[in-house]
Amino acid sequence: MEGVEESQCNARGAGVAGHDLFVRPALTKRVVAWGSVALAAGLVLRLGMLRWLFDVNGDSLGDAAVYGGIAKNLLLHGRYALTAANGAVYPTLLRLPGYPFFLAACFRVFGTENYFAVCCVQIALELAGCVLLADFARRAAQGVRPGDEIFARRAGWATLWLAVLCPFTASYAAAPLAEAPTLFALALAMWAMARFCERTSFDRQGWASALVFTLAVTWAALLRPDGALAAVAFVPAMVAGARHGKPKNSPRMARMAVVCALVALAPFAAWTARNWRVFHVFQPLAPRMATDPGEDAQPGFERWVQTWCLDFSSTYDIYWNVPDEPLDVNKLPARAFDSASQRAETAAVVGQYNAAGYNLTPAVDASFARLAEERIVAHPVRYYVWLPLGRVADMWLRPRVENLPIDLDWWVYGHHRAETRFSWFYAALNAAYLLLAAVGLWLRPRFWKALLAYMLLRSALLLTVNAPEARYTIECFPMLFALGGVALAAGMSSRLLRRG
């Protein structure tokens, strides 16, 4: 960053510093001042989000109620379990242990069910992640202009401002959900990856970088199953860096790989053993449909939803309300029916569901399965290609207002003009981040292949999602910030050259 003096320079690392892992470069007053301003701006934004969005009353907790229930039982009973309506405590495996243990640690320090303190900790973590991303972008920019430290520092500053002022990630720091810790874990993994690839040998600092990376991706995977994609995308870049930037020393490299693999697999081995002991099932992650063994996963209904669900509005208005809530056939979008006769058939199945007390009984679920099969056979390309691609596009491009207190039908301008304008602004801002990242990819900074691989892998995984949510792509924003920072730095440098 601007004003930072490099104390060591690694020629094989394209001019990137090779400092000790836990020692920062010399910081000038200018760096401290501007860095403090950026972080203060990010803090103000997040505290504003916390004041505006924080609500943990009743049903507003949503997924947080599940995480929080497990965390409370960890503290009160020493069991990874949930509490039934009648007060009975029963074991569960429908969520990975990363976030429940994080909540339990916060509850232990700040008091049980103190979600406000949890959000404050998450804000601190996310701001720390912004700093890590800025340093990562500074190092990655060396691949665009080797030896140009001014350009690299500009990329770091641009990334810092893009990250701290992003309202999309800031809003999740103000909610007791796993997204904010996941963003921090990904930022830490990216930073550690860059540090590892700068080392010229498998020394103590190289080991430290490798272990920090391992702990980061392991925590990301324990928070959300898809967090493991970070290892899949980033490890090849680390292996390539180890082969090209370090002396040939296969035994040391193999030893490091074995140790890191054991560290990464240890918590999942314990989790798998616990699930086998308690439930007699092999479950190394969390079940795809978030159900405990013996619970009905309602495959017929899920398959039927996949034949028409395309956007978050359908997820919110219909998918989340079944079972336990009435289903109105008139609320289904027109794409849920291929003909008048199919609409009548769908209405009959919906009537069975409502008559069953809003329960997806085996008979009702089988009726949904038959309806889904009929639609899939008639339009296989729509089911296997266009709808999955449309859902992924919705998760990437729609206005990210899903956790804001505004109507989701933002396109109906006549109903709420101010909210529609705000939603279009959010859509434009989201598009700006994507465009900047695309320019950053075109510039090909260091690790661009790893960053692109993560986003492509995550998008490919999202092709299997039944009901889209924009938050499923929020984990890609650390990559967007770093790439966008490089793009902005290139734009600033070009403008200065034209002036000169």
Side-chain angles (χ1 to χ4, degrees):
M1 293 184 181
E2 197 74 38
V4 178
E5 298 178 359
E6 301 291 353
S7 61
Q8 298 179 10
C9 185
N10 175 11
R12 295 185 180 182
V16 182
H19 306 286
D20 183 85
L21 182 65
F22 301 108
V23 178
R24 304 261 62 83
L27 298 179
T28 66
K29 292 182 179 179
R30 184 178 179 184
V31 169
V32 172
W34 281 107
S36 298
V37 169
L39 291 176
L43 179 61
V44 169
L45 173 63
R46 284 155 182 79
L47 291 178
M49 290 287 187
L50 186 60
R51 181 178 180 181
W52 185 29
L53 302 177
F54 183 73
D55 182 12
V56 292
N57 296 316
D59 295 336
S60 63
L61 271 174
D63 284 347
V66 178
Y67 289 124
I70 297 173
K72 286 191 296 182
N73 283 321
L74 282 170
L75 292 177
L76 299 176
H77 307 291
R79 298 178 61 188
Y80 197 86
L82 287 169
T83 303
N86 61 4
V89 176
Y90 62 94
T92 184
L93 54 69
L94 55 79
R95 292 290 189 275
L96 281 167
Y99 197 64
F101 273 93
F102 172 78
L103 286 180
C106 291
F107 290 169
R108 173 73 73 180
V109 175
F110 302 107
T112 303
E113 293 191 295
N114 189 343
Y115 291 102
F116 183 85
V118 170
C119 292
C120 290
V121 173
Q122 291 184 165
I123 288 173
L125 281 177
E126 201 196 335
L127 290 175
C130 293
V131 175
L132 294 173
L133 288 173
D135 196 47
F136 168 81
R138 180 181 67 83
R139 300 171 190 280
Q142 295 285 347
V144 179
R145 298 184 182 180
D148 189 344
E149 279 299 314
I150 294 178
F151 173 77
R153 289 194 290 269
R154 285 174 181 158
W157 281 116
T159 298
L160 180 62
W161 282 102
L162 284 175
V164 297
L165 294 182
C166 179
F168 311 137
T169 53
S171 65
Y172 279 103
L177 295 168
E179 274 69 22
T182 301
L183 292 172
F184 170 77
L186 291 172
L188 182 60
M190 292 164 62
W191 178 79
M193 171 180 64
R195 294 292 307 210
F196 175 81
C197 292
E198 291 166 8
R199 303 308 302 168
T200 58
S201 63
F202 295 102
D203 57 8
R204 181 177 298 178
Q205 294 177 26
W207 269 92
S209 297
L211 289 174
V212 169
F213 173 84
T214 302
L215 293 174
V217 296
T218 301
W219 191 32
L222 287 170
L223 288 165
R224 299 181 60 89
D226 45 45
L229 293 177
V232 178
F234 298 160
V235 166
M238 298 178 70
V239 172
R243 288 179 176 176
H244 294 96
K246 300 174 177 61
K248 302 299 182 182
N249 197 324
S250 297
R252 284 190 178 184
M253 183 176 177
R255 194 157 52 243
M256 179 181 288
V258 170
V259 170
C260 290
L262 291 175
V263 170
L265 293 175
F268 294 99
W271 172 250
T272 304
R274 176 263 181 187
N275 292 337
W276 180 262
R277 176 177 55 82
V278 175
F279 296 102
H280 304 291
V281 297
F282 179 76
Q283 186 58 257
L285 293 173
R288 181 175 179 272
M289 300 311 302
T291 55
D292 283 322
E295 290 185 354
D296 188 2
Q298 298 129 11
F301 174 76
E302 297 286 345
R303 191 169 172 83
W304 172 71
V305 167
Q306 275 191 299
T307 67
W308 58 266
C309 190
L310 186 61
D311 58 14
F312 180 67
S313 295
S314 295
T315 302
Y316 185 87
D317 293 333
I318 300 169
Y319 181 72
W320 284 353
N321 294 326
V322 177
D324 301 327
E325 297 290 338
L327 179 57
D328 185 354
V329 71
N330 295 316
K331 288 187 176 181
L332 293 174
R335 60 180 176 275
F337 321 106
D338 293 330
S339 63
S341 61
Q342 190 173 90
R343 180 185 177 89
E345 184 181 356
T346 303
V349 176
V350 169
Q352 295 176 28
Y353 162 78
N354 291 330
Y358 316 132
N359 289 317
L360 286 170
T361 64
V364 172
D365 193 62
S367 296
F368 276 118
R370 288 192 295 271
L371 188 59
E373 189 64 25
E374 174 186 326
R375 290 173 54 79
I376 294 170
V377 170
H379 298 280
V381 176
R382 178 183 64 187
Y383 178 78
Y384 291 108
V385 179
W386 299 125
L387 282 172
L389 290 175
R391 285 190 283 266
V392 171
D394 182 77
M395 287 183 272
W396 272 107
L397 300 175
R398 76 176 288 114
R400 296 181 179 274
V401 298
E402 68 277 3
N403 56 352
L404 304 184
I406 65 177
D407 286 342
L408 292 177
D409 56 342
W410 46 269
W411 58 88
V412 187
Y413 185 74
H415 289 179
H416 29 61
R417 297 184 178 184
E419 292 183 2
T420 297
R421 290 193 293 267
F422 181 86
S423 296
W424 278 115
F425 164 73
Y426 253 39
L429 183 61
N430 181 70
Y433 275 103
L434 294 176
L435 180 60
L436 283 173
V439 174
L441 280 174
W442 179 75
L443 293 170
R444 296 190 177 186
R446 299 176 68 214
F447 310 111
W448 71 271
K449 292 181 180 178
L451 304 185
L452 178 61
Y454 178 85
M455 292 187 286
L456 291 177
L457 286 171
R458 185 156 190 83
S459 297
L461 181 65
L462 293 178
L463 290 172
T464 66
V465 169
N466 295 356
E469 296 183 51
R471 69 186 178 111
Y472 291 159
T473 52
I474 204 72
E475 284 83 2
C476 293
F477 270 75
M479 297 79 195
L480 300 184
F481 295 149
L483 292 169
V486 173
L488 286 177
M492 288 187 288
S493 298
S494 299
R495 185 179 61 181
L496 292 175
L497 286 174
R498 287 195 299 270
R499 286 183 178 179

